[in-house]
PDB file of all heavy atoms in Angstrom:
ATOM      1  N   LEU A 218     101.683 104.529 107.384  1.00 97.00           N
ATOM      2  CA  LEU A 218     101.496 103.608 106.261  1.00 97.00           C
ATOM      3  C   LEU A 218     102.424 102.430 106.505  1.00 97.00           C
ATOM      4  O   LEU A 218     103.623 102.632 106.744  1.00 97.00           O
ATOM      5  CB  LEU A 218     101.847 104.272 104.928  1.00 97.00           C
ATOM      6  CG  LEU A 218     101.127 105.563 104.564  1.00 97.00           C
ATOM      7  CD1 LEU A 218     101.556 106.038 103.177  1.00 97.00           C
ATOM      8  CD2 LEU A 218      99.627 105.386 104.617  1.00 97.00           C
ATOM      9  N   VAL A 219     101.874 101.227 106.457  1.00 97.00           N
ATOM     10  CA  VAL A 219     102.667 100.046 106.744  1.00 97.00           C
ATOM     11  C   VAL A 219     102.577  99.079 105.573  1.00 97.00           C
ATOM     12  O   VAL A 219     101.484  98.590 105.243  1.00 97.00           O
ATOM     13  CB  VAL A 219     102.197  99.358 108.036  1.00 97.00           C
ATOM     14  CG1 VAL A 219     103.040  98.112 108.300  1.00 97.00           C
ATOM     15  CG2 VAL A 219     102.289 100.320 109.212  1.00 97.00           C
ATOM     16  N   GLU A 220     103.724  98.817 104.963  1.00 98.00           N
ATOM     17  CA  GLU A 220     103.784  97.874 103.857  1.00 98.00           C
ATOM     18  C   GLU A 220     104.045  96.458 104.371  1.00 98.00           C
ATOM     19  O   GLU A 220     104.713  96.274 105.399  1.00 98.00           O
ATOM     20  CB  GLU A 220     104.911  98.245 102.873  1.00 98.00           C
ATOM     21  CG  GLU A 220     104.818  99.623 102.267  1.00 98.00           C
ATOM     22  CD  GLU A 220     105.628 100.652 103.011  1.00 98.00           C
ATOM     23  OE1 GLU A 220     105.920 100.433 104.223  1.00 98.00           O
ATOM     24  OE2 GLU A 220     106.002 101.684 102.407  1.00 98.00           O
ATOM     25  N   SER A 221     103.559  95.490 103.622  1.00 98.00           N
ATOM     26  CA  SER A 221     103.834  94.085 103.923  1.00 98.00           C
ATOM     27  C   SER A 221     103.755  93.289 102.626  1.00 98.00           C
ATOM     28  O   SER A 221     103.322  93.812 101.589  1.00 98.00           O
ATOM     29  CB  SER A 221     102.835  93.538 104.938  1.00 98.00           C
ATOM     30  OG  SER A 221     101.513  93.624 104.439  1.00 98.00           O
ATOM     31  N   GLY A 222     104.183  92.041 102.707  1.00 98.00           N
ATOM     32  CA  GLY A 222     104.077  91.151 101.564  1.00 98.00           C
ATOM     33  C   GLY A 222     105.351  90.937 100.787  1.00 98.00           C
ATOM     34  O   GLY A 222     105.382  90.139  99.849  1.00 98.00           O
ATOM     35  N   GLY A 223     106.394  91.655 101.150  1.00 98.00           N
ATOM     36  CA  GLY A 223     107.665  91.424 100.473  1.00 98.00           C
ATOM     37  C   GLY A 223     108.242  90.069 100.819  1.00 98.00           C
ATOM     38  O   GLY A 223     107.752  89.374 101.707  1.00 98.00           O
ATOM     39  N   GLY A 224     109.264  89.682 100.074  1.00 98.00           N
ATOM     40  CA  GLY A 224     109.905  88.409 100.321  1.00 98.00           C
ATOM     41  C   GLY A 224     110.832  88.054  99.188  1.00 98.00           C
ATOM     42  O   GLY A 224     111.154  88.892  98.336  1.00 98.00           O
ATOM     43  N   SER A 225     111.241  86.809  99.189  1.00 98.00           N
ATOM     44  CA  SER A 225     112.159  86.313  98.167  1.00 98.00           C
ATOM     45  C   SER A 225     111.458  85.256  97.327  1.00 98.00           C
ATOM     46  O   SER A 225     110.936  84.283  97.881  1.00 98.00           O
ATOM     47  CB  SER A 225     113.397  85.701  98.822  1.00 98.00           C
ATOM     48  OG  SER A 225     114.106  86.651  99.572  1.00 98.00           O
ATOM     49  N   VAL A 226     111.470  85.442  96.021  1.00 98.00           N
ATOM     50  CA  VAL A 226     110.879  84.462  95.115  1.00 98.00           C
ATOM     51  C   VAL A 226     111.792  84.313  93.903  1.00 98.00           C
ATOM     52  O   VAL A 226     112.637  85.178  93.634  1.00 98.00           O
ATOM     53  CB  VAL A 226     109.457  84.847  94.650  1.00 98.00           C
ATOM     54  CG1 VAL A 226     108.512  84.935  95.836  1.00 98.00           C
ATOM     55  CG2 VAL A 226     109.471  86.128  93.857  1.00 98.00           C
ATOM     56  N   GLN A 227     111.575  83.268  93.163  1.00 98.00           N
ATOM     57  CA  GLN A 227     112.332  83.060  91.936  1.00 98.00           C
ATOM     58  C   GLN A 227     111.711  83.859  90.791  1.00 98.00           C
ATOM     59  O   GLN A 227     110.526  84.205  90.820  1.00 98.00           O
ATOM     60  CB  GLN A 227     112.360  81.578  91.587  1.00 98.00           C
ATOM     61  CG  GLN A 227     113.210  80.746  92.539  1.00 98.00           C
ATOM     62  CD  GLN A 227     113.418  79.338  92.036  1.00 98.00           C
ATOM     63  OE1 GLN A 227     112.535  78.762  91.410  1.00 98.00           O
ATOM     64  NE2 GLN A 227     114.589  78.786  92.303  1.00 98.00           N
ATOM     65  N   ALA A 228     112.535  84.122  89.809  1.00 98.00           N
ATOM     66  CA  ALA A 228     112.055  84.800  88.611  1.00 98.00           C
ATOM     67  C   ALA A 228     110.865  84.059  88.022  1.00 98.00           C
ATOM     68  O   ALA A 228     110.842  82.825  87.988  1.00 98.00           O
ATOM     69  CB  ALA A 228     113.175  84.899  87.585  1.00 98.00           C
ATOM     70  N   GLY A 229     109.878  84.833  87.586  1.00 98.00           N
ATOM     71  CA  GLY A 229     108.658  84.256  87.050  1.00 98.00           C
ATOM     72  C   GLY A 229     107.547  84.128  88.081  1.00 98.00           C
ATOM     73  O   GLY A 229     106.386  83.895  87.729  1.00 98.00           O
ATOM     74  N   GLY A 230     107.910  84.288  89.351  1.00 98.00           N
ATOM     75  CA  GLY A 230     106.937  84.167  90.422  1.00 98.00           C
ATOM     76  C   GLY A 230     106.133  85.431  90.641  1.00 98.00           C
ATOM     77  O   GLY A 230     106.268  86.412  89.886  1.00 98.00           O
ATOM     78  N   SER A 231     105.310  85.405  91.675  1.00 98.00           N
ATOM     79  CA  SER A 231     104.421  86.523  91.983  1.00 98.00           C
ATOM     80  C   SER A 231     104.501  86.878  93.464  1.00 98.00           C
ATOM     81  O   SER A 231     104.801  86.021  94.309  1.00 98.00           O
ATOM     82  CB  SER A 231     102.968  86.152  91.647  1.00 98.00           C
ATOM     83  OG  SER A 231     102.815  85.884  90.279  1.00 98.00           O
ATOM     84  N   LEU A 232     104.227  88.119  93.739  1.00 98.00           N
ATOM     85  CA  LEU A 232     104.064  88.609  95.101  1.00 98.00           C
ATOM     86  C   LEU A 232     102.950  89.649  95.100  1.00 98.00           C
ATOM     87  O   LEU A 232     102.734  90.335  94.089  1.00 98.00           O
ATOM     88  CB  LEU A 232     105.344  89.259  95.620  1.00 98.00           C
ATOM     89  CG  LEU A 232     106.503  88.363  96.017  1.00 98.00           C
ATOM     90  CD1 LEU A 232     107.752  89.200  96.304  1.00 98.00           C
ATOM     91  CD2 LEU A 232     106.167  87.513  97.232  1.00 98.00           C
ATOM     92  N   ARG A 233     102.267  89.782  96.230  1.00 98.00           N
ATOM     93  CA  ARG A 233     101.312  90.852  96.390  1.00 98.00           C
ATOM     94  C   ARG A 233     101.698  91.684  97.599  1.00 98.00           C
ATOM     95  O   ARG A 233     101.717  91.182  98.720  1.00 98.00           O
ATOM     96  CB  ARG A 233      99.881  90.336  96.547  1.00 98.00           C
ATOM     97  CG  ARG A 233      98.851  91.474  96.505  1.00 98.00           C
ATOM     98  CD  ARG A 233      97.428  90.996  96.549  1.00 98.00           C
ATOM     99  NE  ARG A 233      96.992  90.649  97.884  1.00 98.00           N
ATOM    100  CZ  ARG A 233      95.722  90.697  98.293  1.00 98.00           C
ATOM    101  NH1 ARG A 233      94.782  91.069  97.429  1.00 98.00           N
ATOM    102  NH2 ARG A 233      95.399  90.356  99.508  1.00 98.00           N
ATOM    103  N   LEU A 234     102.012  92.923  97.343  1.00 98.00           N
ATOM    104  CA  LEU A 234     102.345  93.844  98.413  1.00 98.00           C
ATOM    105  C   LEU A 234     101.076  94.536  98.892  1.00 98.00           C
ATOM    106  O   LEU A 234     100.178  94.820  98.101  1.00 98.00           O
ATOM    107  CB  LEU A 234     103.345  94.893  97.932  1.00 98.00           C
ATOM    108  CG  LEU A 234     104.636  94.381  97.306  1.00 98.00           C
ATOM    109  CD1 LEU A 234     105.566  95.555  96.987  1.00 98.00           C
ATOM    110  CD2 LEU A 234     105.329  93.375  98.192  1.00 98.00           C
ATOM    111  N   SER A 235     101.030  94.791 100.189  1.00 98.00           N
ATOM    112  CA  SER A 235      99.919  95.513 100.793  1.00 98.00           C
ATOM    113  C   SER A 235     100.445  96.747 101.505  1.00 98.00           C
ATOM    114  O   SER A 235     101.581  96.752 101.993  1.00 98.00           O
ATOM    115  CB  SER A 235      99.177  94.633 101.797  1.00 98.00           C
ATOM    116  OG  SER A 235      98.667  93.472 101.193  1.00 98.00           O
ATOM    117  N   CYS A 236      99.613  97.751 101.557  1.00 97.00           N
ATOM    118  CA  CYS A 236      99.933  98.961 102.316  1.00 97.00           C
ATOM    119  C   CYS A 236      98.669  99.376 103.048  1.00 97.00           C
ATOM    120  O   CYS A 236      97.664  99.711 102.404  1.00 97.00           O
ATOM    121  CB  CYS A 236     100.420 100.058 101.388  1.00 97.00           C
ATOM    122  SG  CYS A 236     100.678 101.652 102.193  1.00 97.00           S
ATOM    123  N   THR A 237      98.735  99.346 104.359  1.00 97.00           N
ATOM    124  CA  THR A 237      97.582  99.697 105.183  1.00 97.00           C
ATOM    125  C   THR A 237      97.855 101.000 105.900  1.00 97.00           C
ATOM    126  O   THR A 237      98.937 101.199 106.451  1.00 97.00           O
ATOM    127  CB  THR A 237      97.282  98.588 106.186  1.00 97.00           C
ATOM    128  OG1 THR A 237      96.982  97.382 105.468  1.00 97.00           O
ATOM    129  CG2 THR A 237      96.086  98.946 107.055  1.00 97.00           C
ATOM    130  N   ALA A 238      96.854 101.872 105.878  1.00 95.00           N
ATOM    131  CA  ALA A 238      97.005 103.185 106.492  1.00 95.00           C
ATOM    132  C   ALA A 238      96.221 103.281 107.790  1.00 95.00           C
ATOM    133  O   ALA A 238      95.145 102.691 107.936  1.00 95.00           O
ATOM    134  CB  ALA A 238      96.523 104.267 105.537  1.00 95.00           C
ATOM    135  N   SER A 239      96.789 104.018 108.720  1.00 93.00           N
ATOM    136  CA  SER A 239      96.067 104.406 109.930  1.00 93.00           C
ATOM    137  C   SER A 239      96.225 105.915 110.088  1.00 93.00           C
ATOM    138  O   SER A 239      97.253 106.488 109.708  1.00 93.00           O
ATOM    139  CB  SER A 239      96.594 103.667 111.147  1.00 93.00           C
ATOM    140  OG  SER A 239      97.969 103.910 111.328  1.00 93.00           O
ATOM    141  N   GLY A 240      95.176 106.541 110.617  1.00 90.00           N
ATOM    142  CA  GLY A 240      95.209 107.991 110.757  1.00 90.00           C
ATOM    143  C   GLY A 240      95.071 108.727 109.439  1.00 90.00           C
ATOM    144  O   GLY A 240      95.315 109.937 109.369  1.00 90.00           O
TER     145      GLY A 240
END
Side-chain angles (χ1 to χ4, degrees):
L218 304 183
V219 179
E220 302 95 337
S221 60
S225 298
V226 298
Q227 290 190 326
S231 298
L232 285 171
R233 189 176 79 153
L234 305 185
S235 301
C236 174
T237 299
S239 58

